[in-house]
Structure formats: C-alpha cells, structure tokens
Amino acid sequence: MRTWVGLLLLAMLPAGVGAELPPARNGFVVIAHRGHHARAHENTLTALREAADAGADYVEMDVRRTADGHYVLLHDSTVDRTTNGRGSVGRMTLAELRALEVRDPARPEVKPDRIPTLPEALAAVKGRIHVYLDFKQGEREEVARLIREAAVTRQVLVYDRPENVAAWRKAAPELALIVSPPPDLKGPEELVAFARRLGVEALDGSWESYSREMVSAAERAGIKVWPDIQAVREDPAYFQKVLERGFTGAQTDHPEELIAWLKKEKRR
C-alpha cells in the first residue's frame, strides 16, 4: 500500500520543468536508430530521409564537434569504422571530414555518402520527422543555438547523460530531454523519483531493464519510456515480447519492420 501511495504522490507532481515533448503523430512512437541505416549509411542525410520516408516518428542522430568548431553527425569518436579515413573526429577539421567517404565494405551495394553537418541534417528533416539528438561531444549552448536557428525546436528531443541535465536546462530550457536510468534502479517508485528529481520528459535504456510495473508507473506520472530495442533479429515475435511491457515508443534498427507490425496489429 505504501508503494502505491508514494507513486500517487509522485504522479501529482508536474512533469519536467517546462519543456514539452515534440507532438506525437502516432499512438506508438518509432525512433529510427542512426537513421534508416538498413537502407543507407548511418548518420547520413540519406539515412535521415529514408527514415522519414519509411514513416518513422523520430530519427536518432549522433552529434560531435570538429577541431574547428563545426558540428557533424558521427556516432564514434573516430572515423575509422564508418569511413575510408582514420583519426579522431575532435582532432579533424570540417574540410578534412568532408574529404572522406562514408562507406561499408560489407555492403558494397550501398552507395558511398558523406558526413553531414548538424545544420544540414536539421534542414533535411525540418517539417518531416522529429529528431532524437544524441549529444556526444561539444558545447551544449552552441548546439542549442543551431537548433534554434534551424527553427526546429518543437521537433527535437535531446539525449544526454543524467549528470548533464542541468547544463541543458540552462542552455535550452525549451528542449525536451531523455536520459537512461542507472542500471541498479529497480522498482516503479524509484524510477519515477529518479525522473522527477532530474525533471526529464522521457527515459531511454535497454528495454530489458524495465518491468511492466515500472513502465506503467512512469506513464501515469507523465513520463514516457522509449527504450532501445535494437537487436540482430527484430521480427514479429520479438516486437510482441518487447511491447508486452507497455512501452509507448522504442528505438529500433528496423523501423520499416516495426511500423509494418504495428499496423498489422492495429497499434498505429
């Protein structure tokens, strides 16, 4: 009884500290991890456009700063895995990064692409698809400025570490935030208290770290739980297993497959 009383009191508190999530377009939110990289190279403009064309609600993109202060889309701290070059992103200029090809030797049929800047990426998705911006490295104030200049503030959800929430609230109080809870956080009341303490609008992390009770408690408190469900095999049986926990959104490597399943199940 005491647990549910605690949850009720927590649920009565206001969610976040003034920011709002981008408006939902579907009952279940599909987030395309690094763009639709099953059809294009990850974190490229092509991958972003393919995610929008596939009907995803958000496109996840990773942002880093170059040596000369520009912001580009790259997941890794080096260009070694995804391009024909080698070196640290933070030690290379934009011109040096522009000279590289984004490619995958294991998929020679996918046409080589290039590394886009954050302004280019935001322009490409403006009015088409929401942005799940995974902030990897740089100055938060500068990234917030670029988002405002692109006039896409109402399309953006920012992911960062919990300890950096205060910095984002100072730099851009209008932006909604999503974080991953600590792995040792187990119960519903603990989860809601964690999100309330930080004042975030949504939670990420591995789907397996959540129980149905935790997800339900968060939803009642006005906090969305949109976990990572990326897996080598994402099929209908897997989607069914994941969604049994009550999630209202998820980040996937296979947005088209998830969307098709949701429509078949009349959940979208």
Side-chain angles (χ1 to χ4, degrees):
M1 179 67 72
R2 186 173 60 185
T3 298
W4 289 109
V5 170
L7 286 171
L8 179 61
L9 292 173
L10 286 167
M12 292 171 66
L13 295 173
V17 290
E20 294 182 4
L21 283 166
R25 300 171 181 174
N26 295 289
F28 189 92
V29 171
V30 175
I31 304 164
H33 183 228
R34 303 181 197 173
H36 194 346
H37 61 85
R39 289 189 173 273
H41 298 298
E42 65 178 63
N43 276 311
T44 60
L45 296 184
T46 308
L48 308 187
R49 294 182 180 119
E50 288 283 356
D53 290 345
D57 299 276
Y58 283 78
V59 59
E60 188 259 359
M61 57 178 73
D62 303 285
V63 177
R64 292 184 179 277
R65 185 178 58 187
T66 68
D68 51 348
H70 293 275
Y71 286 83
V72 295
L73 269 54
L74 266 166
H75 176 271
D76 301 355
S77 60
T78 73
V79 300
D80 301 13
R81 178 178 64 87
T82 56
T83 78
N84 60 343
R86 296 186 66 82
S88 169
V89 178
R91 295 182 178 181
M92 300 176 74
T93 65
L94 179 59
E96 289 173 325
L97 291 167
R98 291 285 205 195
L100 301 177
E101 283 190 344
V102 180
R103 50 67 180 141
D104 182 358
R107 296 192 298 166
E109 72 280 4
V110 181
K111 183 181 177 180
D113 217 317
R114 68 185 184 91
I115 298 170
T117 64
L118 177 58
E120 288 173 338
L122 296 177
V125 301
K126 185 176 181 178
R128 296 197 65 201
I129 186 171
H130 292 329
V131 174
Y132 181 119
L133 191 150
D134 189 338
F135 181 82
K136 294 296 187 185
Q137 182 266 336
E139 295 293 332
R140 292 168 182 82
E141 293 81 2
E142 180 63 11
V143 170
R145 183 186 68 80
L146 293 174
I147 291 170
R148 293 187 191 108
E149 284 188 355
V152 293
T153 300
R154 291 296 293 124
Q155 286 180 241
V156 177
L157 171 64
V158 175
Y159 176 89
D160 205 336
R161 294 187 297 275
E163 61 267 28
N164 294 323
V165 166
W168 274 108
R169 289 307 185 199
K170 181 178 179 181
E174 73 274 25
L175 292 176
L177 302 178
I178 182 169
V179 302
S180 297
D184 59 345
L185 198 159
K186 303 298 182 184
E189 192 167 345
E190 289 181 65
L191 181 70
V192 174
F194 167 80
R196 290 296 187 193
R197 185 169 62 253
L198 289 180
V200 295
E201 288 69 38
L203 298 171
D204 187 16
S206 169
W207 71 271
E208 294 178 297
S209 66
Y210 292 97
S211 66
R212 186 174 182 85
E213 292 73 23
M214 293 169 75
V215 176
S216 296
E219 287 285 339
R220 284 195 299 274
I223 302 157
K224 296 299 181 183
V225 182
W226 297 341
D228 299 331
I229 68 168
Q230 298 94 288
V232 174
R233 184 178 178 82
E234 293 183 30
D235 58 16
Y238 178 72
F239 295 143
Q240 180 66 45
K241 180 180 178 181
V242 169
L243 268 63
E244 283 175 355
R245 303 206 180 181
F247 302 117
T248 56
Q251 184 171 175
T252 172
D253 277 336
H254 300 280
E256 276 190 276
E257 288 85 343
L258 177 54
I259 290 168
W261 181 82
L262 288 167
K263 288 181 177 179
K264 182 179 179 182
E265 295 294 314
K266 295 181 171 55
R267 301 180 68 163
R268 198 171 198 262

